[in-house]
Amino acid sequence: MSLDFILYQNTLRAWLAALIVATAVYLGLAVAKRLLLRNLGLLAQRTRNSLDDSISEVVGHTRYFFMLLAALYAGSRILVLPNAAVGAIRVLAVVGLTVQAALWGNALIGAFVTRKMRRREADQESATTVGLIGFVMRLLLWSVLALLSLDNLGIDITALVAGLGIGGIAVALAVQNVLGDVLASLSIVLDRPFEAGDFIIVGDAMGTVERVGVKTTRVRALSGEQLVFSNADLLGSRIRNFKRMYERRVVFGIGVVYQTPRGQLEQIPNLIRDIIQAQDGTRFDRSHFKSYGAFSLDYETVYYVLDPDYNRHMDIQQAINLAIFEQFENQGIEFAYPTQTVVLEGVPARV
């Protein structure tokens, strides 16, 4: 049989060329997938970033049905086919590409959610929020791809998109406060200004974060009650996170009486410096004769505690205060306290 034999409006040569092209495309995609997975796996072992892991996850979700449809579409471009066959192949290609794109996007979202949940494995509430965010992202992804697929298939989606837009605006206006808190929750989860277990101060309220929910954040106050903050209001406030403190700056002052000799006044900063440097976990900054007070000569001292724990800070400050008291007592330096001298004139002396 000659290669010029006509079969369904195409020569055998054309059918053979279409078969070769389809086979080459399929094998090329399959080999490319295997090579990419192997190289990305080796790269992931040498690096600590999550980008290569995410790309590997996406490539791994490339399905063989998509490769087969891509090969079929490439081979069909060589042939002269009836309009019905061309339309059927186009529909299969669009649907296959849409499904494959959805699988790629779903894998990328899944990698993101898994990474965030792994970081918050002890924080169940944040993990729940991340899971909800992943669901919303998947819903949006599949909705957009479905609309694009319908549009590529020649279906007029203008009315559908307009209806969804109007409906979305109406829903957004009805639940704008809730949506604001949900978006604030997303910001907290992603940006992590605080997390469960952190001690924070918001305005005049302070306490330990217990739970970061979808709409509210729960904080346990020092006095025992639970404080409930709206996520949107919380992010609109200035938050002081003491859990993120690496060291604590401490400033304290003392005063001595005006009758203190000048030599002792000059030695007091050195004495305080030696006492602070003798404490473990501290870094001395400065100590100066600051000012003349109403009834005392005032000194100001600054040092750092290299530990954010408040109890540790108070233990060190107590040790410093006791050591200063002992040194002053040994050297005869008197602490000042509020006094007032009354001078009487014109009063006759008693006999």
Side-chain angles (χ1 to χ4, degrees), residues 26-91:
Y26 181 83
L27 292 177
L29 291 175
V31 171
K33 175 185 175 181
R34 185 178 296 273
L35 291 176
L36 279 174
L37 287 176
R38 186 179 65 182
N39 292 331
L40 287 172
L42 295 175
L43 181 62
Q45 295 176 359
R46 298 194 300 266
T47 60
R48 294 184 177 180
N49 63 75
S50 58
L51 179 60
D52 45 17
D53 297 327
S54 299
I55 297 176
S56 178
E57 186 75 16
V58 171
V59 174
H61 278 74
T62 303
R63 300 299 185 222
Y64 287 103
F65 78 85
F66 169 70
M67 301 179 190
L68 184 60
L69 288 176
L72 178 63
Y73 181 80
S76 68
R77 304 299 295 175
I78 300 176
L79 302 174
V80 177
L81 299 174
N83 292 335
V86 172
I89 293 175
R90 182 173 179 276
V91 168

Side-chain angles (χ1 to χ4, degrees), residues 35 52 64 83 89-90 92 121 127 146 153 178 273 304 339:
L35 291 176
D52 45 17
Y64 287 103
N83 292 335
I89 293 175
R90 182 173 179 276
L92 287 175
E121 56 185 1
L153 292 175
V178 176
R273 180 196 61 203
Y304 290 87
T339 56

Side-chain angles (χ1 to χ4, degrees), residues 246-263:
Y246 297 105
E247 59 182 17
R248 184 183 298 270
R249 184 175 185 267
V250 183
V251 181
F252 72 93
I254 60 173
V256 298
V257 297
Y258 270 87
Q259 291 77 18
T260 305
R262 175 178 175 177

Side-chain angles (χ1 to χ4, degrees), residues 8 26 81 85-86 99 119 191 219 232 254 257-258 309 329 334:
Y8 294 109
Y26 181 83
L81 299 174
V86 172
V99 174
R119 292 178 180 175
D191 192 48
V219 176
I254 60 173
V257 297
Y258 270 87
D309 183 66
E329 186 178 41
E334 295 185 34

Side-chain angles (χ1 to χ4, degrees), residues 64-282:
Y64 287 103
F65 78 85
F66 169 70
M67 301 179 190
L68 184 60
L69 288 176
L72 178 63
Y73 181 80
S76 68
R77 304 299 295 175
I78 300 176
L79 302 174
V80 177
L81 299 174
N83 292 335
V86 172
I89 293 175
R90 182 173 179 276
V91 168
L92 287 175
V94 170
V95 172
L97 179 60
T98 301
V99 174
Q100 183 58 69
L103 292 175
W104 283 333
N106 190 69
L108 193 60
I109 294 171
F112 163 78
V113 171
T114 301
R115 185 169 64 253
K116 292 296 181 181
M117 284 187 173
R118 188 180 297 120
R119 292 178 180 175
R120 295 166 172 79
E121 56 185 1
D123 186 357
Q124 297 299 323
E125 300 299 335
S126 294
T128 301
T129 302
V130 172
L132 177 61
I133 293 169
F135 171 76
V136 173
M137 293 173 67
R138 289 187 177 96
L139 181 62
L140 291 175
L141 172 67
W142 283 90
S143 299
V144 171
L145 289 176
L147 290 174
L148 291 176
S149 178
L150 291 174
D151 184 57
N152 280 282
L153 292 175
I155 300 174
D156 187 8
I157 62 171
T158 305
L160 179 60
V161 172
L164 290 176
I166 295 173
I169 293 174
V171 172
L173 290 175
V175 295
Q176 56 181 332
N177 292 333
V178 176
L179 287 177
D181 290 327
V182 171
L183 292 177
S185 173
L186 172 62
S187 177
I188 292 173
V189 169
L190 297 180
D191 192 48
R192 301 175 67 190
F194 57 85
E195 54 191 10
D198 289 1
F199 185 85
I200 64 173
I201 295 180
V202 183
D204 58 352
M206 65 180 69
T208 303
V209 178
E210 287 189 333
R211 182 171 73 89
V212 180
V214 175
K215 189 178 187 304
T216 61
T217 294
R218 313 294 174 88
V219 176
R220 182 66 60 181
L222 291 177
S223 52
E225 74 273 16
Q226 187 181 69
L227 306 175
V228 181
F229 294 92
S230 167
N231 287 332
D233 292 340
L234 193 59
L235 286 187
S237 307
R238 287 180 174 86
I239 303 172
R240 300 169 63 188
N241 191 337
F242 283 84
K243 184 70 175 292
R244 307 286 173 85
M245 179 187 293
Y246 297 105
E247 59 182 17
R248 184 183 298 270
R249 184 175 185 267
V250 183
V251 181
F252 72 93
I254 60 173
V256 298
V257 297
Y258 270 87
Q259 291 77 18
T260 305
R262 175 178 175 177
Q264 289 183 326
L265 293 177
E266 293 176 348
Q267 290 302 315
I268 287 176
N270 297 328
L271 184 150
I272 295 176
R273 180 196 61 203
D274 294 340
I275 290 174
I276 292 176
Q277 290 179 342
Q279 304 296 321
D280 293 333
T282 62

